[in-house]
Amino acid sequence: MFTIGDFARHGRVSVRMLRHYDAIGLLRPDRVDGANGYRLYQAGQLARLNRIIALKDLGFTLQQVRSILDEQVSAEQLRGMLKLRQSDLREQIAADEARLAHVEARLRMIENEGHMPDEDIVVKRIPPIRVAMLSGLAASYEPEAIGPVIQPLFHELGTRVIGAGLSVGPPFIAYYEDAPDGVVVHAAIQVSVEPGTDYDFEIVDLPEIPHAATIVHRGSMEHVVPTSQTLARWIDANGYSSTGYAREVQIECPGDNVDLWVTELQEPVTK
Amino acid sequence: MFTIGDFARHGRVSVRMLRHYDAIGLLRPDRVDGANGYRLYQAGQLARLNRIIALKDLGFTLQQVRSILDEQVSAEQLRGMLKLRQSDLREQIAADEARLAHVEARLRMIENEGHMPDEDIVVKRIPPIRVAMLSGLAASYEPEAIGPVIQPLFHELGTRVIGAGLSVGPPFIAYYEDAPDGVVVHAAIQVSVEPGTDYDFEIVDLPEIPHAATIVHRGSMEHVVPTSQTLARWIDANGYSSTGYAREVQIECPGDNVDLWVTELQEPVTK
DNA sequence: TTGCTCCTCACGTCACGTGAGGTGGC
DNA sequence: TTGCTCCTCACGTCACGTGAGGTGGC
């Protein structure tokens, strides 16, 4: 017979753990002294304690350990639980390796520039969205070429959407596609209508972007280039690669002051 | 101005997270409506939200995120924090890979034998221990060769230790070393004395075993072979290798009934 | 009026670590 | 008597998720 302290020393666990396992019914002492409540264990119970520790070390919860030990799971169910643990662990490892790569990218930035960037980039899923849309063609993918095309498009689109009796407000979305003779420019405004109705603009469901590297740009789109470059460098430094032009989502754009505009760039990426 | 719901949608976080960040002072709303307590955010605050999410994704706690954002840490301190995170992540990944290897070993056992072993093996650190010791020589490392050597050793050791006025009781430890002409057999009993005194037995500090694969054996040591084999197979299946003979620690050994003996085998291993 | 969004508590999560406050045997 | 071990609460951990119960504007 061992007191809880001796049993803990032999099992190389804490006394608190043994009390906890008693409390949740995972490992009851062999008997409890009626007079003083002392827990008393048998040496043979070390075998069960070892099984508990071994299963716990595999990453099972104590609930799972209990049902495995109390033979409430068949060999086949156990195989299923192990398979699940296996894939969870693989995911966990992959996620931690991604995190590690990001940490190392940050360290490289500090080595190179002496500080971390002030703007921050986050990879998110962008859900699909239904928009009213007009399109045009620009000579190249530069602010000087895009601006004169997209601004009239948004103006015209706003007029037509209001004319169709729909409400207009942010987010306003600009996005781009390569064309043989330049860049196709799309101006889009979120709307909630059923498709099929006939309007003097397109109704399009923009697809989700499973992985978009995003950054917030403040101020006029004339000065978006440094922000885009920060985004591009980050994508590169973190082992992603771009799979298209960024969507530009105007989150706030008071008409009177472009310095207060807030735009999110959403660039589709893959690892 | 965004309500909390709109701001959460733009930032792709939950409303609850924004309330939590407000509560801990990490991201306060731009202002709070005095009448109804509504939180109101500015689009520009998305930049801070993104920085929070990005740092959180690196694995920093929200406390750390706050001190980084509020510029209470210098670039040098930040580099230190990133380095620490880096090594933590590497450790985490290594630990999960070890766990994964163990899960896979379990799966192989189920495929091969249709069930998991009933006895369980745990890798532990064995702390150093001071013992009284007598030694002998056996022809080989088999129960039939060891038994006749170690039993008289323990008997004699017990007599001498009692004769020296020290108390005797489990754990009794047997351990082994290779010798040119057989195996050196050590019989040891834990004692607490200062070294230097002269006894008719040795006082030895058994070193710690940083990594010991341990299994509990019940019953006479005559029947230890299947238990040893279980341990050896496990060591092999889990990618460890043995670096010596196992210590045998008698945890319980009532003199009248060897079937009730409980012994822990502690085999030193490395990855 | 019904829905929708907002609010503030407050419990639950998981496996213990860590006191606080007290008892019993050597 | 002093130490040591044992006991039972009960809070704290970390970042929210999830109700409960209620309010305000369309």
Side-chain angles (χ1 to χ4, degrees), chain B residues 3 5 19 37 39:
Chain B
T3 64
R19 291 208 186 101
R39 293 172 179 81

Side-chain angles (χ1 to χ4, degrees), chain A residues 75 78, chain B residues 106 108-118:
Chain A
L78 183 55
Chain B
R106 295 280 178 156
R108 280 196 300 277
M109 288 177 201
I110 291 184
E111 309 293 336
N112 293 339
E113 308 176 26
H115 63 92
M116 288 226 303
D118 290 334

Side-chain angles (χ1 to χ4, degrees), chain A residues 112-143:
Chain A
N112 293 340
E113 307 175 30
H115 62 90
M116 288 225 305
D118 290 335
E119 299 293 341
D120 246 293
I121 288 107
V122 183
V123 175
K124 309 171 181 173
R125 186 188 86 96
I126 307 296
I129 182 174
R130 176 163 298 169
V131 294
M133 189 180 88
L134 289 177
S135 306
L137 186 67
S140 73
Y141 184 66
E142 282 159 25

